[in-house]
Amino acid sequence: MAEVPHVRPRRLRTTPAMRRMVAETRLHPADLILPAFVREGISGPAPINAMPGVVQHTRDTLRKAAAEAVAAGVGGIMLFGLPLVKDAVGSQGTDPDGILQKAIRDVRAEVGDDLVVMSDLCLDEYTDHGHCGVLDSQGRVDNDATLERYAEMARVQADAGVHVVGPSGMMDGQVRVIRQALDAAGHQDVSILAYTAKYASAFYGPFREAVNSSLKGDRKTYQQDPANARESLRELALDLAEGADMVMVKPALPYLDILRQVADAVDVPVAAYQISGEYATVEAAAANGWIDRDAAIMETLLGIRRAGAGMILTYWATEVAGWLRGR
C-alpha cells in the first residue's frame, strides 16, 4: 500500500467558511476608490461604449454616484472633468468655475467628509492637442511651463474643497511644485497622491473615449516605458523626497511586479489604478460568456491587493463594495 501524506494542505480548503477563515488577503470597501467622469453640457448621463456600465456624469448624477459610494462604504472618489471648450493651455483646468472645480464643490456638498474626494490634476482633458502639458514652439511638451499650470490647478482644486490631488502628468518635479503651491495658498492639509509609476500603456484605450480625448501622437516622452522596472524606483524616490503623501502604480495588472517593489520600498500608502482597458477586457470577455464576470472581478482585485496595494482605483468600486458588505 502506498504511503499516504500526513501533511494535507487541502484540509484548509474544505469549506467556504474554512477558506474564508484562513484567507491571507482580504478586500474591504474602504480600500476601493471610484474614478468618475463629469461632463459639461449634457442633460443626462452619457454611456461610454468601450466601458459598459460606466458613464460620463452630469453634475446631478455625479452627486448621486457619490452618495451611492458612501452608502456602499467606498473609501474615495477620483474626479475627472470634461469641459465643453478646450485650448492650447487647458484654460478650463484652472478656471475656478471650470467643470472639475464645480464637481468638487458638488460632491463635497453632497457627502462632506464621508468620502475622500480626489481630483485628477492634469491638463489632458482640457487641451485641444490632448497632451498632459503645454507645448513648446516645436510641439514638444514643455515640462517646466507645464509645472506652472499644475501649480495653478492645485490651487483652484484645493480652493474648491478637494481632499487629495492626483497629479497624473508625469512631469519631472511636479510633486514638489504642487506641494509648494498648496502650502503657499494655505492648503497644507490637502494631500498629494503621486502617480509615481505611470506607464505608457495600450490599456488606456477606452479611457480616451471616456474623457473625449483630443490626443495627437502619444505620451511616450513622459510616461514610463513598459520595458523598465528600476526606473520606477527612481521616480518613487523623487516623489517621496518632493513631498508625496501617497504613491500609485498605473496600470495595475500588467505591472504587479512594479507594485510589489514599490510596496516593499515605502512606508506611505500605496495605490494601484485598475484602468479602463483592464475593466473593458473583463467586461467584454464576460459579455461573450468566456469567463465568470463576478469571479474574475474579485480575482483581479485580490491579485492587486495581494501584490501590495492598500488602495485600488477601480470602476467596479461601488458594485464590489456592495458585494463585500453583503457577505
Side-chain angles (χ1 to χ4, degrees):
M1 180 177 179
E3 184 177 348
V4 297
H6 66 281
V7 177
R8 295 180 184 267
R10 287 181 57 189
R11 293 187 187 113
L12 302 183
R13 306 171 194 151
T14 52
T15 67
M18 177 67 78
R19 294 190 294 273
R20 184 170 61 247
M21 183 180 72
V22 302
E24 299 173 21
T25 304
R26 300 181 191 276
L27 281 172
H28 187 277
D31 301 335
L32 306 176
I33 299 167
L34 176 68
F37 309 102
V38 58
R39 178 177 169 185
E40 194 171 30
I42 56 174
S43 58
I48 300 167
N49 292 330
M51 301 175 68
V54 180
V55 301
Q56 297 169 334
H57 286 286
T58 67
R59 290 173 63 188
D60 286 338
T61 63
L62 177 65
R63 291 188 190 97
K64 181 180 178 182
E68 290 172 349
V70 170
V74 169
I77 188 168
M78 175 66 79
L79 303 177
F80 296 84
L82 314 181
L84 274 174
V85 178
K86 302 180 182 185
D87 60 27
V89 297
S91 300
Q92 287 298 301
T94 52
D95 184 342
D97 290 321
I99 184 60
L100 180 54
Q101 286 68 253
K102 288 179 179 177
I104 292 168
R105 290 193 288 268
D106 289 342
V107 173
R108 283 299 308 274
E110 184 71 32
V111 303
D113 292 330
D114 292 339
L115 189 68
V116 178
V117 179
M118 305 176 170
S119 55
D120 181 58
L121 199 164
C122 194
L123 288 170
D124 59 318
E125 291 99 25
Y126 308 98
T127 54
D128 53 14
H129 47 74
H131 278 287
C132 297
V134 296
L135 305 184
D136 64 18
S137 60
Q138 299 181 53
R140 302 171 303 187
V141 175
D142 186 326
N143 191 96
D144 296 356
T146 298
L147 294 182
E148 295 179 18
R149 301 288 294 128
Y150 286 0
E152 294 180 57
M153 293 187 80
R155 285 189 288 266
V156 296
Q157 291 178 9
D159 288 344
V162 78
H163 295 111
V164 180
V165 295
S168 60
M170 291 298 288
M171 296 297 118
D172 294 338
Q174 63 184 15
V175 172
R176 175 182 56 81
V177 167
I178 291 167
R179 182 73 271 157
Q180 290 175 346
L182 290 170
D183 291 352
H187 293 298
Q188 293 89 346
D189 289 340
V190 173
S191 300
I192 298 175
L193 170 57
Y195 282 59
T196 291
K198 182 179 180 183
Y199 283 87
S201 173
F203 286 89
Y204 295 138
F207 186 86
R208 306 279 192 257
E209 178 190 347
V211 297
N212 299 336
S213 176
S214 306
L215 181 64
K216 300 174 178 66
D218 58 50
R219 299 183 174 128
K220 293 180 180 180
T221 64
Y222 44 102
Q223 294 177 352
Q224 285 183 240
D225 186 337
N228 292 352
R230 290 193 304 270
E231 183 181 33
S232 292
L233 298 182
R234 186 184 188 197
E235 293 278 4
L236 175 64
L238 289 168
D239 282 350
L240 293 175
E242 292 174 15
D245 300 288
M246 299 171 274
V247 296
M248 186 196 294
V249 175
K250 181 180 180 181
L253 288 178
Y255 299 93
L256 294 182
D257 59 323
I258 307 300
L259 177 58
R260 180 74 269 163
Q261 290 181 59
V262 169
D264 286 345
V266 302
D267 56 5
V268 300
V270 176
Y273 197 145
Q274 186 179 51
I275 66 169
S276 60
E278 298 174 62
Y279 175 94
T281 298
V282 172
E283 290 288 354
N288 279 283
W290 297 335
I291 60 173
D292 180 323
R293 175 185 182 271
D294 295 359
I297 290 170
M298 287 302 296
E299 186 174 343
T300 61
L301 291 171
L302 280 169
I304 297 165
R305 184 76 174 86
R306 190 181 65 246
M311 304 172 292
I312 304 172
L313 287 83
T314 176
Y315 299 97
W316 291 302
T318 302
E319 181 179 7
V320 170
W323 299 348
L324 295 171
R325 288 171 72 94
R327 290 184 174 183

